[in-house]
Amino acid sequence: MRIELKKSEKGLTQIILALFFVVSFVSCSNNLVYNQYVPIEKGAWHKDSIINFKVSSTDTISKNNLYVTLRNNKEYEFSNLFLIVGIKFPNNYQIVDTLEYEMTTPDGRFLGSGMTDIKENKLEYKTNVTFSMTGDYNVSVQQAMRRTRDIDGLTHLNGITDVGLQIEKLN
């Protein structure tokens, strides 16, 4: 016995499946505390351009993981990425880290997710972080790339289209 669906039934089935996937996706990301992207003008990140994120926290108990998220396209010409990332606490205490991330596999394929020329990367920054005081935390991200044997950094880092910050609460 073969069951055939009418056009209206097929449409309803597709809508139900789409809603199922949306609900599944939202329920999987319920630990997401903060997720913000800033676009990079013309996909060329200037060395003096500091991307800032303001995170307000009232939860002084929960542990969180912090990630620098970014999108790059095929114009990105390096296998790694150096960033200077800082956190300024509500009491003006500040932590600054210089970080290096791998951006390609050894054979030159871009890491990250995405089916198109744009890859999205979720780079681990800090784990098991507790925001110990209430108030505004300011997170800054700056590129610190330079060519081998060059003293000065790159004026423009091509191929980075968006820079973001993601904070996830641990269970």
Side-chain angles (χ1 to χ4, degrees):
M1 177 177 185
R2 184 175 171 179
I3 300 174
E4 292 190 31
L5 297 175
K6 297 178 189 174
K7 280 187 177 181
S8 62
E9 291 173 331
K10 286 181 182 178
L12 182 61
T13 302
Q14 290 174 339
I15 290 171
I16 290 171
L17 284 173
L19 285 172
F20 172 76
F21 285 113
V22 168
V23 169
S24 296
F25 176 75
V26 170
S27 65
C28 291
S29 62
N30 62 357
N31 291 339
L32 197 59
V33 173
Y34 184 90
N35 189 26
Q36 183 73 41
Y37 273 98
V38 174
I40 302 298
E41 189 174 329
K42 298 178 183 175
W45 192 0
H46 192 277
K47 68 178 181 177
D48 297 329
S49 177
I50 300 172
I51 310 299
N52 292 294
F53 301 95
K54 182 178 176 181
V55 180
S56 297
S57 178
T58 56
D59 183 349
T60 60
I61 299 170
S62 298
K63 293 193 179 295
N64 303 275
N65 288 339
L66 281 69
Y67 302 93
V68 173
T69 53
L70 58 89
R71 296 181 183 119
N72 67 284
N73 62 29
K74 62 184 179 181
E75 301 300 316
Y76 192 78
E77 58 186 297
F78 299 97
S79 63
N80 64 347
L81 173 68
F82 281 93
L83 299 176
I84 299 170
V85 183
I87 300 177
K88 187 174 182 182
F89 291 72
N91 64 356
N92 288 325
Y93 177 75
Q94 198 165 1
I95 297 173
V96 179
D97 296 296
T98 302
L99 308 168
E100 180 182 13
Y101 297 102
E102 292 296 319
M103 296 296 288
T104 65
T105 61
D107 65 349
R109 287 180 291 138
F110 283 119
L111 297 171
S113 61
M115 302 287 280
T116 65
D117 285 341
I118 296 179
K119 296 297 181 190
E120 188 163 344
N121 292 274
K122 184 176 176 180
L123 310 171
E124 188 175 278
Y125 172 44
K126 299 266 185 203
T127 57
N128 295 315
V129 172
T130 302
F131 295 108
S132 58
M133 56 187 79
T134 62
D136 294 335
Y137 291 78
N138 293 295
V139 179
S140 61
V141 183
Q142 183 178 20
Q143 64 99 343
M145 291 296 291
R146 66 182 64 180
R147 294 197 185 280
T148 305
R149 296 183 194 84
D150 280 355
I151 295 171
D152 296 325
L154 289 177
T155 302
H156 287 94
L157 178 60
N158 293 319
I160 302 295
T161 60
D162 301 276
V163 177
L165 177 69
Q166 190 173 94
I167 302 172
E168 295 177 1
K169 185 186 297 189
L170 297 175
N171 289 331

PDB file of all heavy atoms in Angstrom, residues 1 18 20 57 66 90 147 162:
ATOM      1  N   MET A   1       0.847  -1.175   0.000  1.00  0.00           N
ATOM      2  CA  MET A   1       0.000   0.000   0.000  1.00  0.00           C
ATOM      3  C   MET A   1       0.892   1.237   0.000  1.00  0.00           C
ATOM      4  O   MET A   1       1.761   1.383   0.843  1.00  0.00           O
ATOM      5  CB  MET A   1      -0.891  -0.029   1.238  1.00  0.00           C
ATOM      6  CG  MET A   1      -1.763   1.170   1.380  1.00  0.00           C
ATOM      7  SD  MET A   1      -2.793   0.905   2.833  1.00  0.00           S
ATOM      8  CE  MET A   1      -3.790   2.306   2.695  1.00  0.00           C
ATOM      9  N   ALA A  18      10.613  21.711  10.089  1.00  0.00           N
ATOM     10  CA  ALA A  18      11.399  22.930  10.312  1.00  0.00           C
ATOM     11  C   ALA A  18      11.255  23.401  11.752  1.00  0.00           C
ATOM     12  O   ALA A  18      12.257  23.767  12.398  1.00  0.00           O
ATOM     13  CB  ALA A  18      10.970  24.023   9.345  1.00  0.00           C
ATOM     14  N   PHE A  20      10.548  21.569  14.339  1.00  0.00           N
ATOM     15  CA  PHE A  20      11.248  20.596  15.166  1.00  0.00           C
ATOM     16  C   PHE A  20      12.738  20.929  15.248  1.00  0.00           C
ATOM     17  O   PHE A  20      13.335  20.927  16.319  1.00  0.00           O
ATOM     18  CB  PHE A  20      11.039  19.183  14.622  1.00  0.00           C
ATOM     19  CG  PHE A  20      11.871  18.144  15.307  1.00  0.00           C
ATOM     20  CD1 PHE A  20      11.531  17.690  16.572  1.00  0.00           C
ATOM     21  CD2 PHE A  20      13.021  17.644  14.715  1.00  0.00           C
ATOM     22  CE1 PHE A  20      12.306  16.747  17.224  1.00  0.00           C
ATOM     23  CE2 PHE A  20      13.805  16.703  15.349  1.00  0.00           C
ATOM     24  CZ  PHE A  20      13.444  16.248  16.609  1.00  0.00           C
ATOM     25  N   SER A  57      26.844  41.416  34.212  1.00  0.00           N
ATOM     26  CA  SER A  57      26.680  40.182  34.962  1.00  0.00           C
ATOM     27  C   SER A  57      26.081  40.457  36.335  1.00  0.00           C
ATOM     28  O   SER A  57      26.514  41.367  37.043  1.00  0.00           O
ATOM     29  CB  SER A  57      28.025  39.473  35.127  1.00  0.00           C
ATOM     30  OG  SER A  57      27.857  38.301  35.890  1.00  0.00           O
ATOM     31  N   LEU A  66      34.334  31.173  28.034  1.00  0.00           N
ATOM     32  CA  LEU A  66      34.355  32.316  27.133  1.00  0.00           C
ATOM     33  C   LEU A  66      35.059  31.913  25.843  1.00  0.00           C
ATOM     34  O   LEU A  66      36.110  31.253  25.884  1.00  0.00           O
ATOM     35  CB  LEU A  66      35.092  33.497  27.759  1.00  0.00           C
ATOM     36  CG  LEU A  66      34.338  34.333  28.794  1.00  0.00           C
ATOM     37  CD1 LEU A  66      34.102  33.577  30.070  1.00  0.00           C
ATOM     38  CD2 LEU A  66      35.110  35.600  29.072  1.00  0.00           C
ATOM     39  N   PRO A  90      34.495  45.171  36.640  1.00  0.00           N
ATOM     40  CA  PRO A  90      33.756  46.347  37.127  1.00  0.00           C
ATOM     41  C   PRO A  90      34.578  47.245  38.063  1.00  0.00           C
ATOM     42  O   PRO A  90      34.342  48.450  38.132  1.00  0.00           O
ATOM     43  CB  PRO A  90      32.568  45.735  37.875  1.00  0.00           C
ATOM     44  CG  PRO A  90      32.355  44.407  37.230  1.00  0.00           C
ATOM     45  CD  PRO A  90      33.739  43.934  36.859  1.00  0.00           C
ATOM     46  N   ARG A 147      53.998  39.566   9.573  1.00  0.00           N
ATOM     47  CA  ARG A 147      54.666  38.617   8.677  1.00  0.00           C
ATOM     48  C   ARG A 147      55.992  38.184   9.316  1.00  0.00           C
ATOM     49  O   ARG A 147      56.585  38.923  10.089  1.00  0.00           O
ATOM     50  CB  ARG A 147      54.921  39.254   7.319  1.00  0.00           C
ATOM     51  CG  ARG A 147      53.637  39.567   6.587  1.00  0.00           C
ATOM     52  CD  ARG A 147      53.886  39.810   5.112  1.00  0.00           C
ATOM     53  NE  ARG A 147      52.660  40.233   4.462  1.00  0.00           N
ATOM     54  CZ  ARG A 147      51.683  39.427   4.080  1.00  0.00           C
ATOM     55  NH1 ARG A 147      51.795  38.139   4.284  1.00  0.00           N
ATOM     56  NH2 ARG A 147      50.597  39.896   3.502  1.00  0.00           N
ATOM     57  N   ASP A 162      34.001  39.034  10.568  1.00  0.00           N
ATOM     58  CA  ASP A 162      33.267  39.314  11.806  1.00  0.00           C
ATOM     59  C   ASP A 162      34.073  38.793  12.988  1.00  0.00           C
ATOM     60  O   ASP A 162      34.701  37.743  12.899  1.00  0.00           O
ATOM     61  CB  ASP A 162      31.910  38.605  11.820  1.00  0.00           C
ATOM     62  CG  ASP A 162      31.023  39.007  10.665  1.00  0.00           C
ATOM     63  OD1 ASP A 162      30.342  40.032  10.780  1.00  0.00           O
ATOM     64  OD2 ASP A 162      31.020  38.288   9.636  1.00  0.00           O
TER      65      ASP A 162
END
